[in-house]
Amino acid sequence: NLWVFPVWLLIIIINLDAKYYELTNVYKLVAVAVFLVLSIFEILKLYLGYLGNLGGKIPELASCWLISILIQFPLEMFLLCDHGMLPNSTEIFINSFMVCLLLIEIITGVIALKNLADHRAKVFYLTQLYSTQT
């Protein structure tokens, strides 16, 4: 996702610039707000995901997962399914690809969080077991 995000951002900015004056006033505001929120939260999600994965930190990994499922997925589906945004073929393709990546992230995020929580629980119980016996 780290390599796809700059390409997605570039395509979205070019397409938004090309169709901005064709959108209604409401869709102009919505489009800019959605793209801004998605861009900011994608950067935050990438940072938290790497911090959580590399450090084995459950809160950061859970935050990354929650951003994916609660903020990004609904907004990406809005961009993909709403025809008032006047999407063209490149936008449909890149947003479909981002939705597929988000689905993969959501599924693997659940698995990673479960495995990490199980590992942390085992380490905690083993530390408690050996620290009470000595």
Side-chain angles (χ1 to χ4, degrees), residues 109-129:
V110 169
I111 296 168
L113 278 169
K114 184 182 179 317
N115 290 340
L116 186 57
D118 288 344
H119 173 71
R120 293 288 182 179
K122 287 176 189 174
V123 168
F124 175 75
Y125 291 134
L126 286 175
T127 348
Q128 292 298 315
L129 178 68

Side-chain angles (χ1 to χ4, degrees), residues 14-88:
I14 290 170
N15 285 327
L16 182 61
D17 183 48
K19 68 179 178 182
Y20 186 76
Y21 294 106
E22 297 173 16
L23 295 172
T24 64
N25 288 335
V26 173
Y27 275 109
K28 286 179 184 177
L29 177 68
V30 169
V32 171
V34 166
F35 294 137
L36 189 63
V37 167
L38 278 173
S39 300
I40 290 170
F41 277 104
E42 180 69 23
I43 292 168
L44 180 65
K45 183 187 78 162
L46 289 173
Y47 172 73
L48 289 173
Y50 277 113
L51 193 63
N53 277 331
L54 294 178
K57 299 178 181 179
I58 294 175
E60 284 83 356
L61 201 56
S63 298
C64 173
W65 183 76
L66 286 172
I67 288 171
S68 293
I69 198 166
L70 295 177
I71 297 172
Q72 285 189 312
F73 187 70
L75 291 177
E76 284 288 344
M77 288 304 294
F78 171 75
L79 290 177
L80 190 60
C81 297
D82 188 32
H83 296 292
M85 298 287 284
L86 307 173
N88 60 16

